[in-house]
Amino acid sequence: VCYCFMFQSQYSNDVSVFAIDGRILQLEYAQNASKYGQTVLGMRSEKHSVLFSFYPQKKAFVSKMNKIFTISKNSGMAVTGIIGDGKSVHRFIENKNEQYKYAYKINCPVSSLALNCSSLFHRSTFHSGARPYGTTVLMSGYDSNGISLVEISTDGTSIETYGTIIGSDSQTMAGKLSDRLEETQEYSLDELIVLSIEIFHKKILKKDSIKSGEKNFQIGLNGKALEFSILNPKCQIYYMTIFKRKKLKE
């Protein structure tokens, strides 16, 4: 172990070189960058999906960093980790969708977009002189196969899921989601949104104000007969009000 530690710096600068103990250190660094990013949640039912991104407002004069992006009318994505990497990945996926739409006159299926994203991440683990992407992606959308939610990790691994939380507080908050995951399959869109707020409510309501929630979270949604969209502040306040009424009844 001491031997590996002494010579670790020799292997930490190149993604194409294995360390003595078989690890790719640059890839681990990228995974850590993603792991310590702001918390992002994704959930889906049979007909709808919801992406939820939380970002604390540490300073009043600092503008918020959006973590949820529209890809097309039927799909969107959320990122955590290095925001510059996330934006770069979004531009790449958006261009892939435009190429597909130009060729076939329809938006690209979610499974193909996820495969393109996974391939982009995977390629960066092979070539010397390029670092891996320090971001993890949650991609959701609706196509001929129904509703989809896919998590793509920094190493190119993609997993289709019914619900997941990624980012800095993912381990502590995962239990709240797993307890409700089975019943979410029958949820309406409104119920999915309120549940996502419920999971994050301790973070959102630190100042115990409905309007405080308007500033520190973002919700993207889509589904059957519903284009991908991001909730505006008025809708955020509306769903926060529903959540508070629900808590008072309990």
Side-chain angles (χ1 to χ4, degrees):
V1 177
C2 291
Y3 181 77
C4 291
F5 178 79
M6 289 171 60
F7 293 94
Q8 179 171 307
S9 61
Q10 297 182 18
Y11 308 96
S12 63
N13 295 324
D14 198 332
V15 74
S16 63
V17 178
F18 285 95
I20 297 171
D21 54 356
R23 296 151 58 200
I24 300 179
L25 300 180
Q26 276 288 309
L27 189 55
E28 291 185 13
Y29 300 155
Q31 290 168 343
N32 286 336
S34 176
K35 187 188 301 180
Y36 296 123
Q38 295 301 334
T39 314
V40 173
L41 173 146
M43 289 188 297
R44 51 155 288 197
S45 63
E46 289 187 358
K47 295 182 179 180
H48 301 96
S49 68
V50 167
L51 297 174
F52 187 104
S53 171
F54 171 78
Y55 43 86
Q57 289 289 87
K58 296 181 179 179
K59 297 178 180 178
F61 55 83
V62 177
S63 62
K64 64 183 180 181
M65 282 288 189
N66 293 333
K67 299 294 183 74
I68 299 178
F69 306 98
T70 300
I71 299 173
S72 67
K73 288 184 177 181
N74 71 307
S75 60
M77 59 185 278
V79 300
T80 185
I82 300 175
I83 188 62
D85 286 7
K87 289 181 176 180
S88 176
V89 172
H90 170 245
R91 287 193 296 270
F92 173 82
I93 296 300
E94 202 173 29
N95 287 337
K96 285 294 182 182
N97 179 73
E98 288 300 321
Q99 292 171 13
Y100 188 97
K101 189 175 181 180
Y102 180 80
Y104 301 103
K105 310 304 178 185
I106 59 172
N107 286 309
C108 186
V110 180
S111 57
S112 296
L113 292 175
L115 181 61
N116 279 306
C117 183
S118 181
S119 298
L120 175 69
F121 284 179
H122 201 200
R123 285 199 300 271
S124 67
T125 66
F126 281 101
H127 302 291
S128 177
R131 66 167 176 80
Y133 286 90
T135 187
T136 297
V137 172
L138 284 181
M139 190 178 296
S140 73
Y142 190 91
D143 52 32
S144 58
N145 296 317
I147 200 75
S148 298
L149 178 65
V150 186
E151 176 184 349
I152 305 107
S153 302
T154 55
D155 59 356
T157 303
S158 62
I159 302 172
E160 190 161 359
T161 179
Y162 288 99
T164 186
I165 299 179
I166 56 177
S168 56
D169 293 325
S170 58
Q171 292 186 350
T172 58
M173 302 180 71
K176 299 178 184 179
L177 176 62
S178 60
D179 292 342
R180 307 283 294 277
L181 203 54
E182 289 186 9
E183 61 189 69
T184 58
Q185 298 313 298
E186 304 298 327
Y187 273 21
S188 66
L189 179 61
D190 287 350
E191 288 173 321
L192 283 177
I193 294 172
V194 173
L195 176 57
S196 66
I197 293 174
E198 182 179 338
I199 292 172
F200 282 82
H201 78 278
K202 289 185 178 179
K203 287 178 170 289
I204 296 170
L205 300 176
K206 281 186 176 180
K207 296 181 180 179
D208 195 29
S209 166
I210 290 177
K211 289 190 176 181
S212 68
E214 178 187 339
K215 299 178 182 178
N216 60 6
F217 71 90
Q218 190 181 22
I219 299 178
L221 46 91
N222 73 321
K224 187 176 182 180
L226 177 66
E227 294 182 1
F228 186 89
S229 58
I230 297 173
L231 285 186
N232 60 43
K234 289 184 179 180
C235 290
Q236 287 182 345
I237 294 174
Y238 169 75
Y239 284 109
M240 288 290 294
T241 305
I242 293 177
F243 166 72
K244 284 201 160 188
R245 287 174 181 170
K246 179 183 176 184
K247 293 297 287 184
L248 287 174
K249 289 179 181 179
E250 294 175 355

